[in-house]
Amino acid sequence: MLLRTVLIRLLTTAITLFGVAVVVFTLVRVAPGNPIAMMLPPGATEQDIANLTALYGFDKSLPHQFVIWLSGVVQGDFGTSITLRRPVSELVLSRLPATLELSVMALFIAVALGGFVAVLGARRRNSATEVGLDLSSGAVLSIPDFLWGLIFVLLFGVLWPVLSISGRIDPRIEFDFTTNYYVLEGLLRGRFDVVGSTLGHMLMPAMSLALPLAAMIAQLLKQNLKEELLKDYTTLTRVRGFTETAVILREALRNAALPTLALVGVQFTFLIGGTVIVERLFAYEGLGNMAIDAVINRDLPLIQGIVMLFAALFIVINLAVDLSYTLLNPRLRHG
Amino acid sequence: MSQQTQHRHALEIINLSIALPNGVRLLRDVSLKLEPGEVRALVGESGAGKSMIGKTVLGILPDTLKITQGEIILEGQHLNMMTPWTRRKTVAEITALIPQDPLTALNPLRKIGPQIVDPLIRIRGWEKDRARARALELLERVHIRAPERVMQSYPHELSGGMRQRILIAAAFAPSPRLIVADEPTTALDVTVQKEILKLIRELQKETGTAVLFVTHDMGVVAKISQQVTVLFAGKVMEDAPTREVFTNPAHPYTRALIAATPSSADLDRPFSPVPTELIAELHAQVARDDALWQGKKR
């Protein structure tokens, strides 16, 4: 039974990735803009253009190009970046850790902040506090992540310059990284100055990404909590002498978190999508920043590689959400 | 105050009125007493306010309803005069609730064991082992086979009847002096109903706990209670010993309720609902009283 589930899952994953590959490959080639023209200086001869086009295989038919690219991908070769002249897989994997660390930090902030506001709102339900929290999360939600980025830059980079507005780590810090997971490696090797500097650089972009999601979690979780707090099992806990806060945290929260979890999974993928612009805004050296450069330079292999990696990431996240949903809900565990 | 020291009721409700925010009264001057070890049934049709009385005693009335007058005295302690904190402590110390619907009254994501044991440890301050032993003892008492295994189960793995027996065990576990049973058999099918009723009666006799038994079923009233309070539209119609109510009902509404209860003794008797004229007359009476009460208020 489990084997069958796993097999079905793998098959759907493969089909999804193949579909993404077809769409991306076609789109970047159909869209206007010629990578060869970007590479040559003005006044290049017809012969030069033809040579370079043949070198990169752009003279072949679209399906033919796709087959060549796909057969490479299956073997782990995503081609070579046109602008950076290095293997796409190497480039992409070197940037992935920065984006992962940023996204996970943003997720933590969103869950912690949203969860706290939701519990507070449920605890003070039907009061002015709840109305105030509702209004503020509505306001927070209506401002998109990149605008939050600008607001933070203005507040903590210009008016009260306490946080650095660009980069991933203070360049003066000397540390020989073996991986690109700065926070993780800093923690494991006990270099807390590295961790501190990296987290400091991540704080503003992470907050920009987290705030809209936090507001969404706050709204949905609070609503779910309020529903749970009307159910008989919470009433019974109240009669037994537990405080309202204890009733919320010990009894209602777990039940209310289940429907919220599905939303967090979907929204987390949107959050990762948001890194593209936010990383650019803060000159943060992650995948998103690289993606924008790749698009501007019409670096077709690199765009394809980045999109495929994002697609794989989204699939993994969805899988993780499904699994944790089953783990948290005993009613699904044995079925 | 001196009166209480002479005789302490398990529960005393004096002139309790509850109203909606718009002033419409749902409970009208209800008074009742419950002696230690006694079972008092609260009967009436749906909407008569019988569940509301239980909820008021336990302090779980919905926020929209307000107590406009009256006093609730639990073992001589005036609940109205307490801060919410001490009130919660006192109510938890003395009372327990057997809820109506066993399917929603257990947390679906937590195992049965902690749901019984947690309040004993966290609220009563018992040792872990003592609480566990007590839970096992009571689960056995309510005829749960393999109580150890049931403690490890989730609610969805158990039947409705089993869950209600578990809730009865949980209610009696901390040895409360007053149990509010809020239509505990209504959500169950008839064969299970009998068994649950029998269990509550047995445990009540063994422990000497006072029970406020909310029901709409005169048949259940006859089986379980010593005293009856008959309610209509939030007003007490009759308050008497059960035997007397059945042999010689004083109020026409009580008479009609008894007549409306089907009995297995004479199946040939045609079904006779409470006459609509009587209900209309009672409503008119309540309305007149309300008008009088409004006048007095001004």
Side-chain angles (χ1 to χ4, degrees):
Chain A
M1 202 61 206
L2 185 72
L3 188 73
R4 225 187 93 182
T5 321
V6 171
L7 279 178
I8 290 174
R9 202 78 202 207
L10 281 176
L11 192 69
T12 50
T13 304
I15 292 171
T16 312
L17 284 177
F18 182 79
V20 172
V22 172
V23 170
V24 173
F25 195 88
T26 315
L27 268 184
V28 291
R29 275 164 181 75
V30 170
N34 183 351
I36 301 301
M38 305 286 294
M39 291 161 73
L40 290 167
T45 62
E46 289 289 324
Q47 189 56 46
D48 287 341
I49 295 174
N51 284 346
L52 211 58
T53 309
L55 183 68
Y56 281 95
F58 292 137
D59 55 342
K60 298 189 173 69
S61 73
L62 208 71
H64 193 178
Q65 287 183 43
F66 183 70
V67 170
I68 293 171
W69 177 71
L70 196 69
S71 56
V73 166
V74 174
Q75 295 162 43
D77 175 12
F78 283 76
T80 307
S81 160
I82 295 174
T83 43
L84 301 169
R85 322 230 166 189
R86 279 165 60 199
V88 166
S89 49
E90 183 194 314
L91 286 169
V92 164
L93 287 179
S94 73
R95 288 291 188 99
L96 177 65
T99 298
L100 276 186
E101 282 190 340
L102 179 65
S103 313
V104 170
M105 184 179 177
L107 182 66
F108 269 115
I109 294 175
V111 169
L113 198 64
F116 175 76
V117 171
V119 168
L120 187 67
R123 178 68 190 81
R124 301 245 174 275
R125 57 191 179 279
N126 308 325
S127 76
T129 314
E130 193 198 350
V131 177
L133 288 175
D134 278 353
L135 286 176
S136 19
S137 47
V140 167
L141 193 57
S142 63
I143 299 175
D145 46 13
F146 60 88
L147 218 60
W148 277 116
L150 290 175
I151 293 170
F152 283 133
V153 168
L154 191 66
L155 288 179
F156 303 111
V158 179
L159 291 177
W160 186 39
V162 282
L163 292 169
S164 48
I165 56 164
S166 75
R168 198 178 167 201
I169 190 166
D170 190 332
R172 283 167 301 183
I173 288 181
E174 286 190 23
F175 187 65
D176 204 12
F177 287 103
T178 49
T179 68
N180 276 326
Y181 292 94
Y182 287 11
V183 177
L184 214 61
E185 200 181 336
L187 275 176
L188 289 176
R189 286 167 61 177
R191 285 288 299 271
F192 296 107
D193 56 331
V194 172
V195 178
S197 172
T198 315
L199 287 182
H201 279 75
M202 276 159 65
L203 188 59
M204 282 202 289
M207 281 295 285
S208 318
L209 291 166
L211 277 182
L213 179 56
M216 226 178 283
I217 292 174
Q219 294 273 6
L220 185 71
L221 186 61
K222 191 201 69 189
Q223 214 47 52
N224 291 334
L225 273 173
K226 282 174 77 178
E227 260 168 54
E228 294 299 323
L229 289 170
L230 292 174
K231 291 188 180 167
D232 287 354
Y233 73 91
T234 52
T235 306
L236 207 58
T237 319
R238 255 173 237 126
V239 171
R240 285 169 181 163
F242 286 94
T243 60
E244 193 61 28
T245 312
V247 173
I248 293 174
L249 294 178
R250 297 174 54 86
E251 303 285 334
L253 188 57
R254 225 185 301 181
N255 285 286
L258 275 179
T260 316
L261 186 69
L263 169 105
V264 172
V266 175
Q267 290 298 323
F268 185 46
T269 56
F270 284 132
L271 187 150
I272 294 177
T275 58
V276 173
I277 292 177
V278 170
E279 281 181 6
R280 188 65 165 192
L281 197 62
F282 289 94
Y284 185 87
E285 286 163 17
L287 264 184
N289 211 345
M290 184 183 255
I292 292 186
D293 283 332
V295 170
I296 290 173
N297 295 323
R298 299 283 180 275
D299 193 338
L300 303 191
L302 191 53
I303 296 175
Q304 285 155 208
I306 292 172
V307 172
M308 291 307 288
L309 186 63
F310 271 133
L313 211 56
F314 293 174
I315 290 170
V316 170
I317 290 166
N318 276 322
L319 188 68
V321 168
D322 282 358
L323 277 178
S324 52
Y325 201 87
T326 317
L327 276 178
L328 287 172
N329 193 341
R331 280 163 295 191
L332 296 177
R333 230 176 279 161
H334 314 287
Chain B
M1 279 301 206
S2 60
Q3 238 180 341
Q4 283 160 36
T5 44
Q6 288 165 13
H7 182 84
R8 213 163 73 156
H9 306 288
L11 168 70
E12 192 175 2
I13 298 175
I14 305 168
N15 291 339
L16 180 69
S17 289
I18 289 174
L20 289 167
N22 61 13
V24 172
R25 287 201 298 173
L26 301 177
L27 224 53
R28 300 169 160 89
D29 278 327
V30 170
S31 297
L32 60 85
K33 280 176 193 158
L34 189 56
E35 304 303 329
E38 185 181 73
V39 180
R40 177 178 284 277
L42 274 177
V43 263
E45 55 186 36
S46 41
K50 50 195 193 304
S51 277
M52 212 180 295
I53 295 173
K55 286 194 173 112
T56 313
V57 172
L58 298 174
I60 49 173
L61 209 60
D63 296 338
T64 44
L65 301 180
K66 288 280 165 291
I67 299 175
T68 51
Q69 65 161 31
E71 275 187 82
I72 299 163
I73 306 161
L74 255 185
E75 293 197 328
Q77 293 166 277
H78 291 250
L79 293 186
N80 311 46
M81 296 177 184
M82 293 178 182
T83 61
W85 184 270
T86 46
R87 190 195 158 104
R88 201 191 71 236
K89 290 261 175 207
T90 311
V91 170
E93 176 72 26
I94 297 171
T95 70
L97 168 67
I98 301 176
Q100 176 169 3
D101 186 357
L103 299 186
T104 57
L106 287 162
N107 188 336
L109 296 188
R110 300 187 70 204
K111 288 180 180 169
I112 299 295
Q115 299 199 46
I116 306 175
V117 169
D118 262 16
L120 300 178
I121 298 171
R122 299 198 168 255
I123 305 297
R124 303 278 162 141
W126 290 15
E127 294 286 320
K128 228 179 173 171
D129 292 343
R130 183 184 164 203
R132 230 186 95 78
R134 177 71 174 156
L136 285 173
E137 176 198 335
L138 268 151
L139 285 178
E140 254 167 58
R141 180 63 194 84
V142 298
H143 312 304
I144 298 277
R145 264 164 281 152
E148 300 262 4
R149 194 179 50 77
V150 167
M151 297 248 289
Q152 291 297 315
S153 307
Y154 286 98
H156 73 275
E157 297 165 329
L158 310 169
S159 72
M162 250 175 126
R163 287 190 233 182
Q164 190 58 296
R165 279 185 283 154
I166 287 166
L167 286 162
I168 290 169
F172 278 97
S175 312
R177 269 99 69 198
L178 169 69
I179 283 183
V180 175
D182 188 2
E183 307 218 30
T185 56
T186 308
L188 304 168
D189 63 68
V190 186
T191 44
V192 185
Q193 273 184 16
K194 270 192 174 164
E195 189 197 333
I196 293 295
L197 216 57
K198 190 166 156 256
L199 263 179
I200 296 178
R201 198 178 47 199
E202 283 172 6
L203 274 162
Q204 185 272 329
K205 272 186 189 149
E206 286 167 29
T207 56
T209 309
V211 175
L212 191 64
F213 199 104
V214 177
T215 180
H216 60 263
D217 188 341
M218 284 307 269
V220 171
V221 173
K223 282 196 192 92
I224 202 155
S225 68
Q226 289 103 50
Q227 299 283 329
V228 190
T229 302
V230 182
L231 284 166
F232 180 86
K235 234 175 140 56
V236 176
M237 297 285 115
E238 182 157 2
D239 182 343
T242 308
R243 194 178 299 268
E244 207 170 294
V245 163
F246 278 93
T247 51
N248 185 20
H251 198 279
Y253 181 66
T254 317
R255 234 171 287 150
L257 266 187
I258 295 170
T261 308
S263 114
S264 52
D266 50 345
L267 287 168
D268 299 334
R269 199 188 61 178
F271 175 63
S272 55
V274 178
T276 45
E277 309 88 67
L278 176 62
I279 290 177
E281 201 208 305
L282 288 172
H283 274 302
Q285 215 172 63
V286 168
R288 275 199 302 279
D289 287 356
D290 268 4
L292 251 167
W293 178 77
Q294 290 282 355
K296 240 188 343 199
K297 221 168 54 166
R298 286 199 191 101

